[in-house]
Amino acid sequence: MKANRIIATIGLAILASGTIQAANTGKAFYGDPPDDRHPWAIHDRNRPQPPRVEPKPASELAAKAKAPAGAVILFDGTEAALAKWEADKKEIEPTKWIIRDGAMECVPKSGYVRTKQQFGDCQLHVEWASPTPPQGESQGRGNSGIFLMGSLEIQVLDNYDNPTYADGFACSVYGINPPAANALRSPGEFQFIDIEFRRPIYENEKCVDPGYVTVYCNGILVQDRLAPDGTGGHQKRSKPGPMPEKGVLKLQDHGNPVRFRNIWLRELPPRTGVTPSHGPLTAEETAAKRKEIAATIRADAARLASADNPLPELLRALESLPYEKQDAVVKQATELTGKYLQKLSQLPKDKLAGKKDEVKDLGAAFKYLDKWNLIPAGYGPRTDVDALIKAQGWQDVTKGKK
Ligand code: MG
């Protein structure tokens, strides 16, 4: 993807400066921006990585991991248990997932699997292991997912030694909330995941109980009664809403042969009263946090300033705008874009051709900022960059689209 190149371009500079720990964990100008209750963008690469906390030893957890009497056994290593699952897409039924060494293993490109039975509020235990030796990076390494009610994903990912955007980290509620800690074991070892889930309840479109999800990773609390705030998702910010009384449990095929074992579930009794949970921040807390994030990014932009190459400073300064709109930054971006284009205009034709990707990345950044009204309508620098792209014939030609 094009945006990767933005990261490649400025990521090294940021790493060299050593100031922004999380800046190389995803794409800039990517997911929906911060809003008045959420200080971070979706898949925000500036969001800090979960701190490392040593997991409890498996020997200490094993006894507790045994299914209690009355639990629904969803996988215990047997063919009979695998038969409790079906392919999520009927056209590839029966599921092609296999049993290997007592675990059920995702066969890449065979599709998600789901339970034949539906469940409501539950306590769920799952053990998973990512492939070893590890392959791929970020979201491409050992990706799967546990989908509560078929829609709310508790992320399964090999983040033992693999940064990614925080709200897509292992045990994140994907696209909603990062885990409070990285308590993962190394790839190939089984992770013990315990989940408690209470669905949100609505009456006549009014939320009467936001519900919650609590997650333990290897005995460490990583999601603490989080109100789901929607069902999450990729790039888009979800909105809180009702969930059905019951739904299937799904496991994701994300193209990696992740293994699962010892899956059991206890349906929880009906709630009495409203359960306490933690939702998004207040508007005041959000505004303060957004200001703080923007200031950190602007300070980082200042450190990237270079008379030879204004682009890294420019892109980083632009990245602060979704957190805090500031006329001074827009003015600074106008000057920096002018300097950048001036430098490009002095290049011989063959050297200019080599700048295609970074110019297009800048164009994409302006497009994102324009979409979210973070730069003025008809912003001159955007017009200039788009004109250069057009003059050089660098637009993407996509079939079937204008
Ligand atoms: Mg996943």
Side-chain angles (χ1 to χ4, degrees):
M1 296 280 284
K2 286 193 297 281
N4 275 333
R5 289 194 299 266
I6 297 179
I7 294 157
T9 310
I10 67 168
L12 289 175
I14 290 164
L15 285 178
S17 75
T19 52
I20 300 288
Q21 188 200 4
N24 210 26
T25 59
K27 302 165 189 171
F29 311 109
Y30 186 58
D32 285 0
D35 64 19
D36 59 1
R37 298 295 301 281
H38 304 86
W40 302 102
I42 301 294
H43 312 326
D44 195 324
R45 69 188 193 134
N46 296 297
R47 202 167 185 171
Q49 293 287 283
R52 175 72 184 165
V53 173
E54 281 308 306
K56 292 195 176 173
S59 56
E60 208 177 287
L61 299 171
K64 233 179 101 185
K66 280 186 188 149
V72 181
I73 309 296
L74 289 171
F75 189 72
D76 61 0
T78 62
E79 291 287 349
L82 188 62
K84 294 181 181 179
W85 299 78
E86 61 187 2
D88 191 38
K89 285 194 176 143
K90 279 291 173 193
E91 57 271 24
I92 43 176
E93 181 67 16
T95 173
K96 294 186 173 54
W97 286 40
I98 56 168
I99 299 179
R100 193 196 299 275
D101 301 329
M104 59 191 276
E105 183 177 297
C106 172
V107 174
K109 297 202 169 32
S110 70
Y112 291 33
V113 287
R114 67 183 182 206
T115 53
K116 292 176 181 172
Q117 198 178 339
Q118 299 200 0
F119 306 100
D121 292 354
C122 66
Q123 176 188 352
L124 174 67
H125 177 85
V126 177
E127 293 168 29
W128 59 264
S130 49
T132 180
Q135 288 183 341
E137 57 184 35
S138 189
Q139 294 287 307
R141 183 181 295 188
N143 195 332
S144 181
I146 301 160
F147 284 72
L148 302 166
M149 294 206 153
S151 60
L152 186 70
E153 181 182 11
I154 309 302
Q155 175 69 303
V156 168
L157 195 66
D158 176 6
N159 291 119
Y160 182 72
D161 186 20
N162 175 39
T164 191
Y165 46 81
D167 67 6
F169 208 88
C171 291
S172 64
V173 180
Y174 186 81
I176 295 180
N177 197 51
N182 169 4
L184 295 166
R185 302 185 203 290
S186 58
E189 290 187 78
F190 276 90
Q191 321 285 342
F192 289 54
I193 308 298
D194 289 282
I195 298 169
E196 191 180 319
F197 172 61
R198 293 281 195 185
R199 72 190 175 96
I201 296 176
Y202 280 65
E203 274 170 17
N204 303 322
E205 295 180 20
K206 185 178 180 293
C207 179
V208 294
D209 187 338
Y212 65 85
V213 59
T214 291
V215 180
Y216 287 83
C217 174
N218 294 318
I220 305 298
L221 180 65
V222 292
Q223 298 287 351
D224 183 9
R225 282 190 178 243
L226 177 84
D229 201 22
T231 53
H234 189 64
Q235 285 188 278
K236 298 261 174 273
R237 189 177 300 285
S238 63
K239 294 195 168 52
M243 285 189 182
E245 249 177 69
K246 293 195 171 198
V248 296
L249 181 69
K250 284 187 195 177
L251 300 176
Q252 186 181 39
D253 169 14
H254 200 284
N256 304 131
V258 176
R259 293 183 296 151
F260 292 87
R261 73 175 188 194
N262 192 21
I263 308 174
W264 54 260
L265 181 150
R266 286 180 64 243
E267 288 204 83
L268 295 176
R271 270 165 273 187
T272 49
V274 173
T275 51
S277 59
H278 307 288
L281 303 179
T282 64
E284 292 74 26
E285 288 166 336
T286 304
K289 185 71 186 173
R290 285 176 60 168
K291 246 179 156 30
E292 179 195 316
I293 300 164
T296 307
I297 294 174
R298 287 196 302 266
D300 198 47
R303 277 188 285 269
L304 293 169
S306 151
D308 293 337
N309 182 7
L311 187 64
E313 182 189 7
L314 169 60
L315 283 168
R316 198 69 176 133
L318 289 175
E319 205 178 337
S320 72
L321 290 174
Y323 306 92
E324 188 186 27
K325 246 174 138 171
Q326 216 182 60
D327 290 345
V329 172
V330 173
K331 203 167 154 236
Q332 177 195 13
T334 305
E335 282 164 21
L336 288 170
T337 307
K339 279 187 198 164
Y340 175 62
L341 292 177
Q342 170 71 19
K343 289 213 173 273
L344 293 186
S345 72
Q346 291 162 354
L347 293 176
K349 217 171 170 193
D350 59 322
K351 285 262 166 47
L352 181 61
K355 300 288 183 186
K356 176 183 167 184
D357 288 348
E358 63 176 49
V359 173
K360 288 189 71 178
D361 284 344
L362 180 58
F366 282 140
K367 188 179 173 192
Y368 178 96
L369 295 169
D370 186 50
K371 177 184 167 187
W372 296 101
N373 298 318
L374 296 164
I375 48 177
Y379 185 51
R382 184 188 179 195
T383 312
D384 296 343
V385 169
D386 284 351
L388 174 62
I389 291 170
K390 207 170 170 194
Q392 296 297 319
W394 288 342
Q395 310 95 312
D396 278 332
V397 182
T398 313
K399 265 189 191 167
K401 282 188 183 172
K402 271 209 286 184

